[in-house]
Amino acid sequence: MKQLFTLVFLSFLLLTAINGEAQTSTFILMRHAEKDTSAQGATMMQADPKLSAAGEARAARIPEVLKAYSPDAVYSTNFIRTKSTVTPLAKKAGKEIQVYDHRNLKAFAEELLKMEGKTVVVAGHSNSTPTLVNLLLKENKYQNLDESVYDTYWIVTVKDGKAEARQMKY
């Protein structure tokens, strides 16, 4: 009987420790890959170009670059280049790409911060991605990316309401 009581008590302590432990949320934020700026790409859809061959190759590498992560959700702005950037990852993870509004980043950041314990990948733009990182961090740390920069992404982790970011290259 004493052993049963001890087992039940230890189980209770373990469950309390597990349930009481804060979960870490991971947000991987990246700019879209290289866009097609050729005459053909530009005339096809001036405001919404597709990815260039280099961009397609970069997008194809993303599942390998992020192989240590298993995304619970994949988000993109509603543009061909951003959706195409995360399509290989979404397919590999078996996730639908969800669209967010890059014009309302504050609301999107608040939505993301409610996703406790989740891993979320977000594709955006040279100006919206650093801004979203700053909103998650609740500080103005990162500047817009130069138009020529496509190889930068951030990993933002949030635990107990405290966010940290690592800027990465791939």
Side-chain angles (χ1 to χ4, degrees):
M1 186 66 168
K2 187 175 180 180
Q3 288 176 333
L4 178 61
F5 175 79
T6 302
L7 182 61
V8 169
F9 180 72
L10 289 175
S11 298
F12 172 77
L13 287 178
L14 180 61
L15 284 174
T16 303
I18 291 171
N19 290 334
E21 185 177 312
Q23 297 183 34
T24 300
S25 303
T26 303
F27 306 106
I28 302 165
L29 299 99
M30 60 182 52
R31 180 191 183 191
H32 61 77
E34 292 87 338
K35 59 187 170 185
D36 185 355
T37 57
S38 69
Q40 183 181 12
T43 56
M44 197 166 104
M45 296 193 117
Q46 185 80 19
D48 194 9
K50 64 181 182 168
L51 294 179
S52 66
E56 291 286 348
R58 182 179 301 282
R61 287 194 313 269
I62 291 173
E64 180 62 25
V65 169
L66 300 180
K67 67 181 176 187
Y69 300 92
S70 179
D72 295 296
V74 178
Y75 284 87
S76 169
T77 58
N78 198 20
F79 292 91
I80 293 168
R81 60 192 177 273
T82 49
K83 289 179 188 174
S84 297
T85 298
V86 290
T87 292
L89 178 69
K91 283 183 179 178
K92 183 172 183 187
K95 302 293 177 186
E96 294 262 339
I97 298 172
Q98 299 177 60
V99 174
Y100 73 97
D101 185 355
H102 67 284
R103 295 166 297 183
N104 194 357
L105 292 175
K106 186 175 181 183
F108 184 53
E110 290 170 3
E111 182 183 329
L112 288 174
L113 289 170
K114 292 176 185 174
M115 298 182 189
E116 291 186 31
K118 302 292 183 188
T119 298
V120 180
V121 176
V122 180
H125 304 273
S126 61
N127 57 352
S128 64
T129 301
T131 300
L132 185 55
V133 173
N134 289 338
L135 287 167
L136 293 172
L137 292 173
K138 298 179 181 167
E139 65 177 283
N140 192 19
K141 185 173 181 179
Y142 297 102
Q143 301 302 312
N144 291 349
L145 295 172
D146 185 83
E147 276 297 313
S148 64
V149 176
Y150 294 96
D151 64 348
T152 300
Y153 69 101
W154 287 265
I155 299 176
V156 179
T157 53
V158 181
K159 185 172 184 177
D160 291 329
K162 184 177 180 180
E164 296 179 355
R166 291 182 294 147
Q167 189 173 0
M168 312 287 284
K169 297 275 188 188
Y170 73 108

